[in-house]
Amino acid sequence: MSKIVMNRRKLLTIGSVAGSSALLSGCDAFDGMLKGNSPVRNFMESTANGLSFRVQRLLIGGHALAQEFTEADIRQPMRPNGITQPEDDTYKALSGSNFADYRLQVSGLVQKPLALSLTELMAMPSRTQITRHDCVEGWSCIAKWTGVPLSHVLDLAVVKSDARYIVFHCLDTIERSLSGEVKYYESIDLVDARHPQTILAYGMNDERLPVANGAPLRVRVERQLGYKMAKYIRAIEIVNDLSQFGAGKGGYWEDRGYEWYAGI
Ligand SMILES: Nc1nc2c(c(=O)[nH]1)N[C@H]1C(S)=C(S)[C@@H](COP(=O)(O)O)O[C@H]1N2
Ligand SMILES: [Mo]
């Protein structure tokens, strides 16, 4: 096993710079170096994606765990990024009543569509993990996450055999332009969805998930870059084709050029 990991590390040497594996400690490390639309960064990103998808799936399979850390490694509060305070009326109404009326919708290619309250989600089996979040902007942060494994929710809904992807629909509007409002969305495949560290998190650093970090519910997909980890999740839809959402690339940032498979 360690030999395989070594091989993977070697192969991913270039790619890991974008994901900043192992090298970073604080949130601000690398800030300023990988900003903007630099050709170096673009090269590293595309290399990381092309390599990591093939290498991760072929050499280490779908279920290798991302590194987990200890309490002592949590050196600062989780840095919020992207939308940190949704201005949407629906969101404001839900947060105004402390998410008592929140229901996670689970629909699409399932035998039993679900609508789950936070109380129901929190009563399900839970997993807690201390992991490092790597943003494509070049910073990383270690935090403790608690939530229900996505695989558990998928089993309750009974996923149909032709399903391939999970789409996360979010409550926050990330873009307001002349052509309209765009809500954040993301998607992962069923291998990542059923990964043991993929959780729907409602807790962070032993407290309820703060609004800035995605309350009431955000996904953790620990072997992927930060933009894959949708915050403010309203619904999860199980599908076999991503072309019908947004511009068809599988996520808000993917529709703007980022790779769909952001493995690190
Ligand atoms: N709904 C939603 N999810 C999102 C974003 C966002 O703007 N809206 N930003 C993404 C990006 S780029 C990152 S790095 C992480 C940031 O999570 P954090 O605020 O907990 O640091 O959330 C991701 N998920
Ligand atoms: Mo990010």
Side-chain angles (χ1 to χ4, degrees):
M1 188 64 200
S2 65
K3 195 164 171 240
I4 291 172
V5 172
M6 280 282 295
N7 286 341
R8 176 185 166 235
R9 283 220 172 280
K10 249 194 207 154
L11 279 163
L12 292 180
T13 305
I14 300 170
S16 66
V17 178
S20 58
S21 308
L23 295 170
L24 301 185
S25 50
C27 289
D28 294 328
F30 267 131
D31 258 6
M33 180 186 153
L34 297 171
K35 286 242 167 73
N37 198 26
S38 88
V40 177
R41 183 183 141 199
N42 291 344
F43 170 75
M44 289 192 293
E45 276 168 24
S46 58
T47 310
N49 280 296
L51 270 178
S52 61
F53 185 68
R54 293 194 299 274
V55 173
Q56 283 183 236
R57 288 288 161 79
L58 284 176
L59 285 186
I60 57 176
H63 279 75
L65 297 182
Q67 184 178 2
E68 294 195 13
F69 298 82
T70 66
E71 304 269 348
D73 297 314
I74 304 174
R75 282 181 277 266
Q76 65 281 301
M78 180 66 193
R79 168 177 165 166
N81 199 40
I83 298 297
T84 54
Q85 180 77 65
E87 295 296 332
D88 306 74
D89 289 342
T90 317
Y91 187 83
K92 286 196 271 192
L94 287 169
S95 63
S97 53
N98 209 14
F99 302 106
D101 300 321
Y102 171 82
R103 297 292 180 275
L104 171 71
Q105 306 290 334
V106 183
S107 66
L109 299 173
V110 293
Q111 281 171 29
K112 298 180 196 163
L114 306 169
L116 302 166
S117 70
L118 263 190
T119 316
E120 287 171 310
L121 288 162
M122 290 166 85
M124 290 176 185
S126 74
R127 188 177 206 283
T128 294
Q129 58 206 28
I130 301 175
T131 52
R132 194 188 57 232
H133 178 106
D134 294 322
C135 175
V136 70
E137 291 166 1
W139 54 270
S140 66
C141 222
I142 292 174
K144 183 180 189 177
W145 304 96
T146 300
V148 50
L150 178 53
S151 60
H152 180 79
V153 174
L154 295 179
D155 287 344
L156 289 179
V158 192
V159 173
K160 292 185 179 170
S161 58
D162 53 338
R164 291 191 62 187
Y165 307 105
I166 311 295
V167 178
F168 302 97
H169 297 285
C170 303
L171 289 156
D172 57 316
T173 297
I174 177 136
E175 192 178 305
R176 291 186 167 82
S177 64
L178 287 178
S179 45
E181 297 191 342
V182 184
K183 292 259 196 312
Y184 201 91
Y185 81 103
E186 254 305 334
S187 61
I188 56 176
D189 66 12
L190 273 173
V191 175
D192 275 322
R194 291 197 173 279
H195 185 276
Q197 289 167 318
T198 299
I199 59 174
L200 296 171
Y202 45 73
M204 193 190 87
N205 294 339
D206 294 319
E207 296 188 357
R208 282 283 285 273
L209 183 65
V211 165
N213 303 98
L217 202 66
R218 71 97 53 87
V219 70
R220 299 292 312 164
V221 191
E222 302 294 357
R223 296 180 315 167
Q224 302 250 358
L225 288 173
Y227 65 87
K228 299 299 292 184
M229 307 202 213
K231 309 196 284 188
Y232 316 114
I233 297 174
R234 168 180 68 77
I236 61 186
E237 191 175 352
I238 292 86
V239 301
N240 59 16
D241 172 31
L242 297 172
S243 64
Q244 56 184 304
F245 307 101
K249 298 279 169 40
Y252 172 78
W253 285 113
E254 288 87 332
D255 287 342
R256 281 146 194 85
Y258 284 30
E259 293 289 333
W260 176 76
Y261 190 80
I264 47 178

